[in-house]
Coordinates of all heavy atoms in Angstrom, one line a residue:
M1 N -46.7 141.3 -157.3 CA -45.4 142.0 -157.5 C -45.2 142.9 -156.3 O -46.0 143.7 -156.0 CB -45.5 142.8 -158.8 CG -44.3 143.6 -159.1 SD -44.5 144.4 -160.7 CE -43.0 145.2 -160.8
A2 N -44.0 142.8 -155.7 CA -43.7 143.6 -154.5 C -43.3 145.0 -155.0 O -42.7 145.2 -156.0 CB -42.6 143.0 -153.7
A3 N -43.7 146.0 -154.1 CA -43.2 147.3 -154.4 C -41.7 147.5 -154.3 O -41.1 146.8 -153.4 CB -43.9 148.3 -153.4
T4 N -41.1 148.3 -155.1 CA -39.7 148.4 -155.1 C -39.3 149.6 -154.2 O -38.1 149.8 -153.9 CB -39.1 148.7 -156.5 OG1 -39.7 149.8 -157.0 CG2 -39.4 147.5 -157.4
E5 N -40.3 150.4 -153.8 CA -40.0 151.5 -152.9 C -40.9 151.5 -151.7 O -42.1 151.3 -151.8 CB -40.2 152.8 -153.7 CG -39.9 154.1 -152.9 CD -40.1 155.3 -153.7 OE1 -39.7 155.3 -154.9 OE2 -40.6 156.3 -153.2
F6 N -40.3 151.7 -150.5 CA -41.1 151.7 -149.3 C -41.4 153.2 -149.0 O -40.6 154.0 -148.6 CB -40.4 151.1 -148.2 CG -41.1 151.0 -146.9 CD1 -42.2 150.1 -146.7 CD2 -40.8 151.9 -145.8 CE1 -42.9 150.0 -145.6 CE2 -41.6 151.8 -144.6 CZ -42.6 150.9 -144.5
N7 N -42.7 153.6 -149.1 CA -43.1 155.0 -149.0 C -44.4 155.2 -148.3 O -45.2 156.0 -148.7 CB -43.1 155.7 -150.4 CG -44.1 155.0 -151.3 OD1 -44.8 154.0 -150.9 ND2 -44.3 155.5 -152.5
V8 N -44.6 154.5 -147.2 CA -45.9 154.6 -146.5 C -46.2 156.0 -146.0 O -47.4 156.4 -146.1 CB -46.1 153.5 -145.4 CG1 -46.1 152.1 -146.0 CG2 -45.0 153.7 -144.4
E9 N -45.2 156.7 -145.5 CA -45.5 158.0 -145.0 C -45.9 159.0 -146.1 O -46.8 159.8 -146.0 CB -44.3 158.6 -144.3 CG -44.1 158.0 -142.9 CD -43.0 158.7 -142.2 OE1 -41.8 158.3 -142.4 OE2 -43.3 159.6 -141.4
A10 N -45.3 158.8 -147.3 CA -45.6 159.7 -148.4 C -47.0 159.3 -149.0 O -47.7 160.2 -149.5 CB -44.5 159.5 -149.5
R11 N -47.3 158.0 -149.0 CA -48.6 157.6 -149.6 C -49.8 158.0 -148.7 O -50.8 158.3 -149.3 CB -48.6 156.1 -149.8 CG -47.8 155.6 -150.9 CD -47.8 154.1 -151.1 NE -49.2 153.7 -151.6 CZ -49.5 152.4 -151.8 NH1 -48.6 151.5 -151.5 NH2 -50.7 152.1 -152.2
W12 N -49.6 157.9 -147.4 CA -50.7 158.2 -146.5 C -50.3 159.1 -145.4 O -50.3 158.8 -144.2 CB -51.3 156.9 -145.9 CG -51.8 155.9 -146.9 CD1 -52.8 156.1 -147.8 CD2 -51.2 154.7 -147.3 NE1 -53.0 155.0 -148.6 CE2 -51.9 154.1 -148.3 CE3 -50.0 154.0 -146.8 CZ2 -51.6 152.9 -148.9 CZ3 -49.8 152.8 -147.4 CH2 -50.5 152.2 -148.4
P13 N -49.9 160.3 -145.7 CA -49.3 161.3 -144.7 C -50.4 161.6 -143.6 O -50.0 161.8 -142.4 CB -49.0 162.5 -145.5 CG -49.8 162.4 -146.7 CD -49.9 161.0 -147.0
E14 N -51.6 161.6 -143.9 CA -52.7 161.9 -142.9 C -52.7 160.8 -141.8 O -53.1 161.2 -140.6 CB -54.0 162.0 -143.6 CG -54.6 160.7 -144.1 CD -54.1 160.2 -145.4 OE1 -53.2 160.8 -146.0 OE2 -54.6 159.1 -145.9
L15 N -52.2 159.6 -142.0 CA -52.2 158.6 -141.0 C -51.1 158.8 -140.0 O -51.2 158.4 -138.9 CB -52.1 157.2 -141.6 CG -53.2 156.8 -142.5 CD1 -53.0 155.4 -143.1 CD2 -54.6 156.9 -141.8
F16 N -50.1 159.5 -140.4 CA -48.9 159.8 -139.6 C -48.9 161.1 -138.9 O -48.1 161.4 -138.0 CB -47.6 159.6 -140.4 CG -47.4 158.2 -140.9 CD1 -48.0 157.7 -142.0 CD2 -46.6 157.3 -140.1 CE1 -47.8 156.4 -142.4 CE2 -46.4 156.0 -140.5 CZ -47.0 155.6 -141.7
A17 N -49.8 162.0 -139.4 CA -49.7 163.4 -139.0 C -49.8 163.6 -137.5 O -49.1 164.5 -136.9 CB -50.9 164.2 -139.7
S18 N -50.6 162.8 -136.8 CA -50.8 163.1 -135.3 C -49.8 162.2 -134.5 O -49.9 162.3 -133.2 CB -52.2 162.8 -134.9 OG -52.5 161.5 -135.2
L19 N -48.9 161.5 -135.1 CA -48.0 160.7 -134.3 C -46.7 161.6 -133.9 O -46.3 162.4 -134.7 CB -47.5 159.5 -135.1 CG -48.5 158.4 -135.4 CD1 -47.9 157.3 -136.3 CD2 -49.1 157.8 -134.2
S20 N -46.2 161.3 -132.8 CA -44.9 161.9 -132.4 C -43.8 161.3 -133.3 O -44.0 160.3 -133.9 CB -44.6 161.6 -130.9 OG -44.3 160.2 -130.8
A21 N -42.7 162.0 -133.3 CA -41.6 161.5 -134.1 C -41.2 160.1 -133.7 O -40.9 159.2 -134.5 CB -40.4 162.5 -134.0
A22 N -41.2 159.9 -132.4 CA -40.8 158.5 -131.9 C -41.8 157.5 -132.3 O -41.4 156.4 -132.7 CB -40.6 158.6 -130.3
D23 N -43.1 157.8 -132.2 CA -44.1 156.8 -132.6 C -44.1 156.6 -134.1 O -44.3 155.5 -134.5 CB -45.5 157.3 -132.1 CG -45.7 157.1 -130.6 OD1 -44.9 156.4 -130.0 OD2 -46.7 157.7 -130.1
R24 N -43.9 157.6 -134.8 CA -43.8 157.5 -136.3 C -42.6 156.6 -136.7 O -42.8 155.7 -137.5 CB -43.6 158.9 -136.9 CG -43.7 158.9 -138.4 CD -43.8 160.3 -139.1 NE -43.1 161.3 -138.4 CZ -43.7 162.3 -137.6 NH1 -45.0 162.3 -137.5 NH2 -43.1 163.2 -137.0
E25 N -41.5 156.7 -136.0 CA -40.3 155.9 -136.3 C -40.6 154.4 -135.9 O -40.3 153.5 -136.7 CB -39.1 156.3 -135.5 CG -37.9 155.5 -135.8 CD -36.6 156.1 -135.1 OE1 -36.7 157.1 -134.4 OE2 -35.6 155.4 -135.2
I26 N -41.3 154.2 -134.8 CA -41.7 152.8 -134.4 C -42.6 152.2 -135.5 O -42.4 151.0 -135.9 CB -42.4 152.8 -133.0 CG1 -41.4 153.1 -131.9 CG2 -43.1 151.5 -132.8 CD1 -42.0 153.4 -130.6
V27 N -43.6 152.9 -135.9 CA -44.5 152.4 -136.9 C -43.8 152.1 -138.3 O -43.9 151.1 -138.8 CB -45.7 153.4 -137.2 CG1 -46.5 153.0 -138.4 CG2 -46.6 153.5 -135.9
V28 N -43.0 153.1 -138.7 CA -42.3 152.9 -140.0 C -41.3 151.7 -139.9 O -41.3 150.9 -140.8 CB -41.6 154.2 -140.4 CG1 -40.6 154.0 -141.5 CG2 -42.6 155.3 -140.7
N29 N -40.6 151.6 -138.8 CA -39.7 150.4 -138.7 C -40.5 149.1 -138.7 O -40.0 148.1 -139.3 CB -38.9 150.6 -137.4 CG -37.8 151.6 -137.5 OD1 -37.4 152.0 -138.6 ND2 -37.3 152.1 -136.4
A30 N -41.6 149.1 -138.0 CA -42.4 147.8 -138.0 C -42.9 147.5 -139.4 O -42.8 146.3 -139.8 CB -43.5 148.0 -137.0
L31 N -43.4 148.5 -140.0 CA -43.9 148.3 -141.4 C -42.8 147.9 -142.4 O -43.0 147.0 -143.2 CB -44.7 149.5 -141.9 CG -46.0 149.8 -141.1 CD1 -46.5 151.2 -141.5 CD2 -47.0 148.7 -141.2
A32 N -41.7 148.5 -142.2 CA -40.5 148.3 -143.1 C -40.0 146.8 -142.9 O -39.7 146.2 -143.9 CB -39.4 149.2 -142.8
S33 N -40.0 146.4 -141.7 CA -39.6 145.0 -141.4 C -40.6 144.0 -142.2 O -40.1 143.1 -142.8 CB -39.7 144.7 -139.9 OG -39.4 143.4 -139.7
S34 N -41.8 144.3 -142.1 CA -42.8 143.4 -142.8 C -42.6 143.5 -144.3 O -42.7 142.5 -145.0 CB -44.2 143.8 -142.4 OG -44.5 143.5 -141.1
W35 N -42.4 144.7 -144.8 CA -42.2 145.0 -146.2 C -40.9 144.2 -146.7 O -41.0 143.5 -147.8 CB -42.0 146.4 -146.5 CG -41.7 146.8 -147.9 CD1 -42.6 146.8 -149.0 CD2 -40.5 147.3 -148.5 NE1 -42.0 147.2 -150.1 CE2 -40.7 147.6 -149.8 CE3 -39.3 147.6 -147.9 CZ2 -39.8 148.1 -150.7 CZ3 -38.3 148.1 -148.8 CH2 -38.5 148.4 -150.1
H36 N -39.9 144.1 -146.0 CA -38.7 143.4 -146.3 C -39.0 141.9 -146.4 O -38.3 141.1 -147.1 CB -37.5 143.7 -145.4 CG -36.9 145.0 -145.7 ND1 -36.2 145.2 -146.8 CD2 -36.9 146.1 -144.9 CE1 -35.7 146.5 -146.8 NE2 -36.1 147.0 -145.6
E37 N -40.0 141.4 -145.7 CA -40.4 140.0 -145.7 C -41.4 139.7 -146.8 O -41.9 138.6 -146.9 CB -41.0 139.6 -144.3 CG -40.0 139.7 -143.2 CD -38.8 138.7 -143.4 OE1 -39.1 137.6 -143.8 OE2 -37.7 139.1 -143.1
G38 N -41.8 140.7 -147.6 CA -42.7 140.5 -148.7 C -44.1 141.1 -148.6 O -44.8 141.0 -149.6
W39 N -44.4 141.7 -147.5 CA -45.7 142.3 -147.3 C -45.8 143.6 -148.2 O -44.8 144.3 -148.3 CB -45.9 142.7 -145.8 CG -47.1 143.6 -145.6 CD1 -48.4 143.2 -145.5 CD2 -47.0 145.0 -145.2 NE1 -49.1 144.3 -145.2 CE2 -48.3 145.4 -145.0 CE3 -46.0 145.9 -145.1 CZ2 -48.7 146.7 -144.7 CZ3 -46.3 147.2 -144.8 CH2 -47.6 147.6 -144.6
V40 N -46.9 143.7 -148.8 CA -47.2 144.9 -149.7 C -48.0 145.9 -148.9 O -49.1 145.6 -148.4 CB -47.9 144.5 -151.0 CG1 -48.2 145.8 -151.8 CG2 -47.1 143.5 -151.8
P41 N -47.5 147.1 -148.7 CA -48.2 148.1 -147.9 C -49.6 148.4 -148.4 O -49.8 148.5 -149.6 CB -47.4 149.4 -148.0 CG -46.0 148.9 -148.3 CD -46.2 147.7 -149.2
N42 N -50.6 148.5 -147.5 CA -51.9 148.8 -147.9 C -52.5 149.8 -146.8 O -52.0 149.7 -145.6 CB -52.8 147.6 -148.1 CG -53.0 146.8 -146.8 OD1 -53.7 147.2 -145.9 ND2 -52.3 145.7 -146.7
R43 N -53.4 150.6 -147.2 CA -53.9 151.6 -146.2 C -54.5 151.0 -145.0 O -54.3 151.6 -143.9 CB -54.9 152.5 -146.9 CG -55.2 153.8 -146.1 CD -56.2 154.6 -146.8 NE -56.2 156.0 -146.4 CZ -56.6 156.4 -145.1 NH1 -57.0 155.5 -144.3 NH2 -56.6 157.7 -144.8
E44 N -55.2 150.0 -145.1 CA -55.9 149.4 -143.9 C -54.9 148.9 -142.9 O -55.0 149.3 -141.7 CB -56.7 148.2 -144.4 CG -57.5 147.5 -143.2 CD -58.2 146.3 -143.6 OE1 -58.0 145.7 -144.7 OE2 -59.1 145.9 -142.8
D45 N -53.9 148.2 -143.3 CA -52.8 147.8 -142.3 C -52.1 149.0 -141.7 O -51.8 149.0 -140.5 CB -51.8 146.9 -143.0 CG -52.4 145.5 -143.3 OD1 -53.5 145.1 -142.8 OD2 -51.8 144.8 -144.1
V46 N -51.8 149.9 -142.5 CA -51.1 151.1 -142.0 C -51.9 151.9 -141.0 O -51.5 152.3 -139.9 CB -50.6 152.0 -143.1 CG1 -49.9 153.3 -142.6 CG2 -49.6 151.2 -144.0
Q47 N -53.2 152.0 -141.4 CA -54.1 152.8 -140.5 C -54.3 152.0 -139.2 O -54.3 152.6 -138.1 CB -55.5 153.0 -141.1 CG -56.4 153.8 -140.2 CD -57.7 154.2 -140.9 OE1 -57.9 153.9 -142.1 NE2 -58.5 154.9 -140.2
N48 N -54.4 150.7 -139.2 CA -54.6 149.9 -138.0 C -53.4 150.1 -137.0 O -53.6 150.3 -135.8 CB -54.8 148.5 -138.3 CG -56.1 148.2 -138.9 OD1 -57.1 149.0 -138.8 ND2 -56.2 147.0 -139.6
L49 N -52.2 150.1 -137.6 CA -51.0 150.3 -136.7 C -50.9 151.7 -136.2 O -50.6 151.9 -135.0 CB -49.8 149.8 -137.4 CG -48.5 149.8 -136.6 CD1 -48.7 148.9 -135.3 CD2 -47.3 149.2 -137.4
T50 N -51.2 152.7 -137.0 CA -51.1 154.1 -136.6 C -52.2 154.4 -135.6 O -52.0 155.1 -134.6 CB -51.2 155.1 -137.7 OG1 -52.3 154.9 -138.5 CG2 -49.9 155.0 -138.6
D51 N -53.4 153.8 -135.8 CA -54.5 153.9 -134.8 C -54.1 153.4 -133.4 O -54.3 154.0 -132.4 CB -55.8 153.2 -135.2 CG -56.6 153.9 -136.3 OD1 -56.2 155.1 -136.6 OD2 -57.5 153.4 -136.8
L52 N -53.4 152.2 -133.4 CA -52.9 151.6 -132.2 C -51.9 152.5 -131.5 O -52.0 152.8 -130.3 CB -52.3 150.2 -132.5 CG -51.7 149.5 -131.3 CD1 -52.8 149.2 -130.3 CD2 -50.9 148.3 -131.7
M53 N -51.0 153.1 -132.3 CA -49.9 153.9 -131.7 C -50.5 155.2 -131.2 O -50.0 155.8 -130.2 CB -48.8 154.2 -132.7 CG -48.0 153.0 -133.1 SD -47.2 152.3 -131.7 CE -46.1 153.6 -131.1
R54 N -51.6 155.8 -131.8 CA -52.2 157.0 -131.4 C -53.1 156.8 -130.1 O -53.5 157.7 -129.5 CB -53.1 157.6 -132.5 CG -52.4 158.3 -133.5 CD -53.3 159.1 -134.5 NE -54.2 158.2 -135.2 CZ -55.5 158.0 -134.9 NH1 -56.1 158.7 -134.0 NH2 -56.3 157.2 -135.6
G55 N -53.4 155.5 -129.8 CA -54.3 155.2 -128.7 C -55.7 155.2 -129.1 O -56.6 155.2 -128.2
A56 N -56.0 155.3 -130.4 CA -57.4 155.3 -130.9 C -58.1 153.9 -130.7 O -59.3 153.9 -130.6 CB -57.5 155.8 -132.3
I57 N -57.3 152.9 -130.7 CA -57.8 151.5 -130.5 C -56.8 150.9 -129.5 O -55.6 151.3 -129.4 CB -57.9 150.7 -131.8 CG1 -56.5 150.6 -132.5 CG2 -58.9 151.3 -132.7 CD1 -56.5 149.6 -133.7
D58 N -57.3 149.8 -128.9 CA -56.4 149.1 -128.0 C -55.9 147.8 -128.7 O -56.2 147.6 -129.8 CB -57.1 148.7 -126.7 CG -58.4 147.8 -126.9 OD1 -58.6 147.3 -128.0 OD2 -59.2 147.7 -125.9
E59 N -55.1 147.0 -128.0 CA -54.5 145.9 -128.6 C -55.5 144.8 -129.0 O -55.4 144.2 -130.1 CB -53.4 145.2 -127.7 CG -52.2 146.1 -127.6 CD -51.1 145.4 -126.8 OE1 -50.9 144.2 -126.9 OE2 -50.4 146.1 -126.0
A60 N -56.5 144.7 -128.3 CA -57.6 143.7 -128.6 C -58.3 144.1 -129.9 O -58.6 143.2 -130.7 CB -58.6 143.6 -127.5
E61 N -58.6 145.4 -130.1 CA -59.2 145.9 -131.3 C -58.2 145.7 -132.5 O -58.6 145.3 -133.6 CB -59.7 147.3 -131.2 CG -60.2 147.9 -132.5 CD -61.5 147.2 -133.0 OE1 -62.1 146.3 -132.3 OE2 -61.9 147.4 -134.2
Y62 N -56.9 146.0 -132.3 CA -55.9 145.8 -133.3 C -55.9 144.4 -133.7 O -55.9 144.1 -134.9 CB -54.6 146.3 -132.8 CG -53.5 146.1 -133.8 CD1 -53.3 147.0 -134.9 CD2 -52.7 144.9 -133.8 CE1 -52.3 146.8 -135.8 CE2 -51.7 144.7 -134.7 CZ -51.5 145.6 -135.7 OH -50.5 145.4 -136.7
D63 N -55.9 143.4 -132.8 CA -55.9 142.0 -133.1 C -57.1 141.6 -133.8 O -57.1 140.8 -134.8 CB -55.7 141.2 -131.8 CG -54.3 141.3 -131.2 OD1 -53.4 141.8 -131.8 OD2 -54.2 141.0 -130.0
R64 N -58.3 142.1 -133.4 CA -59.5 141.8 -134.1 C -59.5 142.2 -135.6 O -59.9 141.5 -136.5 CB -60.7 142.4 -133.4 CG -62.1 142.0 -133.9 CD -63.2 143.0 -133.6 NE -63.1 144.3 -134.2 CZ -63.3 144.6 -135.5 NH1 -63.6 143.6 -136.4 NH2 -63.1 145.8 -136.0
R65 N -59.0 143.5 -135.8 CA -58.9 144.0 -137.2 C -58.0 143.2 -138.0 O -58.2 142.9 -139.2 CB -58.5 145.5 -137.1 CG -59.5 146.4 -136.6 CD -58.9 147.8 -136.7 NE -59.8 148.8 -136.1 CZ -59.6 150.1 -136.2 NH1 -58.5 150.6 -136.8 NH2 -60.4 151.0 -135.7
A66 N -56.8 142.8 -137.4 CA -55.9 142.0 -138.1 C -56.4 140.6 -138.5 O -56.3 140.2 -139.6 CB -54.6 141.9 -137.3
A67 N -57.1 140.0 -137.6 CA -57.7 138.7 -137.8 C -58.8 138.8 -138.9 O -58.9 137.9 -139.8 CB -58.3 138.1 -136.5
A68 N -59.6 139.9 -138.9 CA -60.6 140.1 -139.9 C -60.0 140.2 -141.3 O -60.5 139.7 -142.3 CB -61.5 141.3 -139.6
A69 N -58.9 141.0 -141.4 CA -58.2 141.2 -142.6 C -57.6 139.8 -143.2 O -57.7 139.6 -144.4 CB -57.0 142.2 -142.5
V70 N -57.1 139.0 -142.3 CA -56.6 137.7 -142.7 C -57.8 136.8 -143.2 O -57.6 136.2 -144.2 CB -55.9 137.0 -141.5 CG1 -55.6 135.5 -141.8 CG2 -54.6 137.7 -141.2
E71 N -58.9 136.9 -142.5 CA -60.1 136.1 -143.0 C -60.5 136.5 -144.3 O -60.9 135.7 -145.2 CB -61.2 136.2 -142.0 CG -61.0 135.5 -140.7 CD -61.0 134.0 -140.9 OE1 -61.7 133.5 -141.7 OE2 -60.1 133.3 -140.2
R72 N -60.5 137.9 -144.6 CA -60.9 138.4 -145.9 C -60.0 137.9 -147.0 O -60.4 137.5 -148.1 CB -61.0 139.9 -145.9 CG -62.3 140.4 -145.2 CD -62.5 141.9 -145.4 NE -61.3 142.7 -145.1 CZ -61.1 143.2 -143.9 NH1 -61.9 142.9 -142.8 NH2 -60.0 143.9 -143.6
A73 N -58.7 137.9 -146.7 CA -57.7 137.5 -147.6 C -57.8 136.0 -148.0 O -57.7 135.6 -149.1 CB -56.3 137.8 -147.1
H74 N -58.1 135.2 -146.9 CA -58.3 133.8 -147.1 C -59.5 133.5 -148.0 O -59.5 132.6 -148.9 CB -58.4 133.0 -145.8 CG -57.1 132.8 -145.2 ND1 -56.3 131.7 -145.2 CD2 -56.3 133.7 -144.4 CE1 -55.2 131.8 -144.6 NE2 -55.2 133.0 -144.0
A75 N -60.6 134.3 -147.7 CA -61.8 134.1 -148.5 C -61.6 134.5 -150.0 O -62.1 133.8 -150.9 CB -63.0 134.9 -147.9
L76 N -60.9 135.5 -150.2 CA -60.6 135.9 -151.6 C -59.7 134.9 -152.3 O -60.0 134.6 -153.5 CB -59.9 137.3 -151.6 CG -60.7 138.5 -151.3 CD1 -59.9 139.8 -151.2 CD2 -61.8 138.7 -152.4
A77 N -58.8 134.4 -151.6 CA -57.9 133.3 -152.2 C -58.7 132.1 -152.5 O -58.5 131.5 -153.6 CB -56.7 133.0 -151.2
A78 N -59.6 131.7 -151.6 CA -60.4 130.5 -151.8 C -61.4 130.7 -153.0 O -61.6 129.8 -153.7 CB -61.1 130.1 -150.6
A79 N -61.8 131.9 -153.2 CA -62.8 132.2 -154.2 C -62.2 132.3 -155.6 O -62.8 132.1 -156.6 CB -63.6 133.5 -153.9
G80 N -60.9 132.7 -155.6 CA -60.2 133.0 -156.8 C -59.6 131.9 -157.4 O -59.4 131.5 -158.5

């Protein structure tokens, strides 16, 4: 069931606290676009993108984390 309200900043304000207003807007817009396509917000995905925007990780690490999340989702689907 998809969430009816998009509220990632309200759910995880600590992930957005150190972002500039411009970076926060970029992150929220990117996440909102995915949400409109049916993605359900989760802390891991939001943290990965905010980490990338803050410079805490590089694109290679972001890609590695995203691939690992996909692998976990596939494994859960196959087991269930």
Side-chain angles (χ1 to χ4, degrees):
M1 177 177 183
T4 58
E5 183 179 318
F6 183 74
N7 61 358
V8 293
E9 284 186 276
R11 285 182 71 184
W12 301 292
E14 69 281 4
L15 299 179
F16 292 86
S18 63
L19 294 178
S20 69
D23 286 346
R24 189 170 29 255
E25 183 176 355
I26 290 167
V27 169
V28 168
N29 287 340
L31 296 172
S33 176
S34 295
W35 179 71
H36 283 292
E37 295 296 322
W39 169 76
V40 177
N42 64 77
R43 191 181 200 291
E44 180 182 17
D45 290 344
V46 175
Q47 182 172 359
N48 289 341
L49 190 53
T50 56
D51 282 353
L52 178 64
M53 291 303 295
R54 281 188 300 104
I57 61 173
D58 61 13
E59 287 185 42
E61 176 62 12
Y62 177 82
D63 291 343
R64 187 200 64 74
R65 290 180 182 187
V70 169
E71 287 294 322
R72 286 191 304 277
H74 284 262
L76 285 173

